[in-house]
Each structure stands twice: as structure tokens, then as C-alpha cells.
Amino acid sequence: MKVRTDEFKARSAETTKNPRRQASLKLVYDGLHKGRIAAAEDTDDWEDQRDRARAIKWHTINNLDYYLDLLDKNVRANGGNVYFANDDAEARDYVLGVAKANNVKTVIKSKSMVSEEIGLNEAFEEAGINPVETDLGEYIIQLAKEAPYHLIAPAIHKTREEISDLIQEVAGGPRQEDPQDLTDTARALLRDEFRKAEMGVSGVNFAVAETGSIAIVTNEGNGRMVTSAPRVHVAIVGMEKLIPSMQDLSTMLRVLIRSATGQRISSYVTVVNGPRKAGEEDGPDEFHLVIVNNGRENLLKDAQLREAMLCLRCGACLNACPVYRKAGGHAYGWVYPGPIGAIVTPVMTGKKVGRDLPFASTLCGACKDACPVKIELPTLLLRLRSDLAEGKADPKEKSSPLLERVSIKAWRFGVQSPMRFALAGRLSSLMMAPLSRGGWVRWLPPPLSGWTKSREFPRIAGKPFRARFRKKQR
Ligand code: SF4
């Protein structure tokens, strides 16, 4: 999938001026964010569960080699195949190879952000294979030929009228406006695809190493159809989605579902243990698990950024983030929007491509408070900013302008000595005097003009605090 993170400013500015998108983004807060808060308040040991989930994920990520081996061994013992894809091209080629070997014409898909990440639908289409998304939100954005807007609600930005247009285009007949009618029509269209598909492709919410199982959480039941109806099932998983045991799965499901949708449990939790066994009625003849790296090792090898590998992709940090709720999901330019996207996108795709993203945050900390595994999102964003500013991300290019760097150096020089600090304060106060009114400066010249574009700057006091304090003491 093309990475367009360098368009963040332009695309977010567009969204802020679009009243339709702003109305949709309000739903993210009113529905998903408030739902999560209510679910957390309703759970007595919520903080304990978050701590347990965080400990499980840290343990797994710090022992990832061991658990990847264990998962591999157990999936094979269950009769499945495992493929480790180092990048998106390897993952695509493997899945296409399976499809071609089975003479597949139609693929049904349940929601998978990793399949978006590797550009699987485009690869299927180029190979003459028809991919059909079966999650209603994903189906809508597939019809619109767009990327997901949100991790768990991919079409949340679409209005009823827009959805109505898209469904009418494929279904024909009279235009429908009622959400139930639209859902019924989509359901009927998808039912045909379920019947004829030879292959199902699913995502994975958790891959359980000790049993070689995968767990999929849905509210529409499409995940169960995709994994059991076609002859071949391919599951695609980012390597951060491993957990050690079935016991851990119960903890992870509790925190994931409450954080994602505010439900205590989703309508369907499907656990797949490989292909159909002798004597079983349902299930595919073939099962493949594709474990994807695609830049995750960049996170893994950095002791601090590794924390982003704890992510469950629940979307809670997006719902809590004031920047996401104004900028919208497409501004982030890749598959993962919001605070977690601002961290994983630059690191997984190469920091130069995503250099605006770490700055797309107010650092208010709402994302960390919402995160079920307490990822230090603001700290990680600050770390990426620092890497960019210092030129560690790209030695040829420092993100802060020369003037800013010189100013910061001058400031550092000033604050290192009490005498220099006092002198600088007095000089600044004198220089600000002609620009201030009532103790506030409404306009500052470049390079400081950015400060006063949307807020006032308090005039630096003529007499420093320490001098006033000394006088008061006397
Ligand atoms: S960073 Fe935390 S809140 Fe955000 S998607 Fe990941 S798990 Fe959810």
C-alpha cells in the first residue's frame, strides 16, 4: 500500500473544513470513546486486568523467538502450514501462490489490517482474482476504493447518503436510505459471494502459541463464515499478535473488546485450530498462517520503541485523541492512524516518509489513559520527535530549521547561569514592551510568529520572580 504520510498537513486541513467528516468524527467520541469508559467503569478489577494484559504482552514480546517457534510447531502439529514473510511482497506472493495452486477465482475476506498493509486486495485484482470484503465497514470502503478510516470502524466517516449511493451502484433497484434496508441488501449480495468463494482470508486478533490456534473477534459472524466455509483458509497475522496460552487469551479478550467497542464480549469469538480433522463436519481442507514482519523488527530492536509492539489494535487511543478526531483517519496516510499510527508508521515504513506524524499530537496523554495495555504513547512520540530533530532518523536532514536550533542553543546557554538567565529575562521584557498590551503580546516577529498565530504570549515580567521574592523577604 502506498505510504502518503508526507501529506498529513494538507489532508488534515481538508478534513477540518469538511462538516460531514467532522460530524462523523464526533461519533468516534460519543459512541466508541464513551462506550469504553462506561465498560471500564463497569468492570471492578479493570486496572488489574490492564496490568495483567500488559505483563502478558511484555513477556511475549521479550521472548518472541521462543513463542514464534512454539506457534510454528503447534500450527504444523494441527495440520496447518506456516509461512514467515519478511516484507509485504513476500506475504503477497505466498498468499497468491496458495490461491493459484487452488485455482481460486473468488476470495472472501474478514477484516484484516495486515492485509491492508501488504496491499493484498490490489494483488488479487492484478492476478484476476476477485477479493470480497465481508465485514460491512470494509465492504463499504472496498466499494468506495478507499483505505480504512479507523482501526475497528473502517467506514465511520461515510454518511448514510454516501453508503446508499455505493450500495445502489452494485445492487441496482430503488435507492435505499434506511440503515436496516442497506444492511439487508449488503447481506444478500455477500451471501452469494460466501457460497461461491474457494478461499477465505482472515486477520487474527490473537495467535496462541501453546495450542497453535488463532482467535478472531467479530460482531457480524463473517469471520466464522470466512474461516469455515471455503476449502482454503489463509490467516494473516502481524508478529506482535502472539500470546503464550489459552488462559492468557481470556484476559486479552476482556481488555480488547471493552476497549474497542465498549462491549463485555463481542457477538462472535472464533477460535480456529487448523484445517478440518477426520470426522469433523466444518472447516477448510487447507489452513495457512502467514506471520508478517514488514518493518516490525525496527520496533523490536529498539529497547524503547519496542513497547509499541504491545498494541492490540483496539482503536481506543484514536477515539481519545483530539488530533485524530479533527484530522481524520486518512490524513495519516497509511493503514494505522491515530497516536499508535503516528509511532508505528514512521518506524515500520522508514522515518523519512512519516516525519510529520510524531508531531501530530498535543501530548495531552489521553491516548495512554485509554490504552488497555498502558503503552507510553506520548513518551514514544517525544522520542521520535527527538530523533527527527537531532537528525538521528535521517542524518542528511534535520527536521527543525537552523534558526530554531540556534535559538534553542542560545536558550540553553542562557539558562545555564543565573546571571545570564536574569539578563536574558530583562532584555526580553524590554524588547516585548512595545509589542504588548495589558501584559499580553498579540504579535511576535518571525521566527517566533507561529506562537501568536492562534494565541497570545504573556509578556515576560520586567522584574524577575527571584528579585521580587527577595524584596518581599526583606
Ligand atoms: S496503542 Fe493501545 S489504545 Fe491504541 S490501538 Fe494499540 S492497544 Fe489500542
Side-chain angles (χ1 to χ4, degrees), residues 68 71-72 75-76 80-98 112 114-115 118 120 199-204 207 214 233-242 287-294 296:
L68 281 169
L71 178 71
D72 178 35
V75 171
R76 289 179 198 280
N81 305 283
V82 179
Y83 180 73
F84 287 92
N86 203 35
D87 57 26
D88 53 350
E90 282 186 15
R92 280 193 306 267
D93 290 350
Y94 181 82
V95 182
L96 280 180
V98 173
S112 160
V114 186
S115 87
I118 63 174
L120 192 58
M199 182 164 133
V201 171
S202 74
V204 174
I214 59 160
H233 171 204
V234 178
I236 309 178
V237 62
M239 62 184 186
E240 76 281 7
K241 292 288 186 77
L242 261 70
F287 173 74
H288 300 259
L289 180 65
V290 182
I291 303 173
V292 179
N293 172 1
N294 201 29
R296 285 165 177 78

Side-chain angles (χ1 to χ4, degrees), residues 151 310-318 340 367 370-373 375 377:
L151 291 176
L310 308 191
C311 178
L312 316 181
R313 307 279 189 258
C314 71
C317 57
L318 281 59
I340 187 65
C367 49
C371 177
V373 284
I375 297 178
L377 294 150

Side-chain angles (χ1 to χ4, degrees), residues 384-434:
L384 291 180
R385 287 184 190 187
S386 150
D387 280 4
L388 285 162
E390 298 289 333
K392 284 187 200 152
D394 179 1
K396 281 188 246 100
E397 203 178 336
K398 295 197 175 190
S399 72
S400 45
L402 180 68
L403 197 57
E404 186 181 311
R405 276 180 278 138
V406 171
S407 313
I408 296 285
K409 280 200 177 127
W411 176 82
R412 191 161 61 188
F413 177 75
V415 297
Q416 276 170 343
S417 133
M419 213 175 70
R420 288 201 292 263
F421 184 67
L423 187 67
R426 275 171 202 220
L427 276 175
S428 308
S429 177
L430 279 176
M431 280 156 64
M432 279 182 178

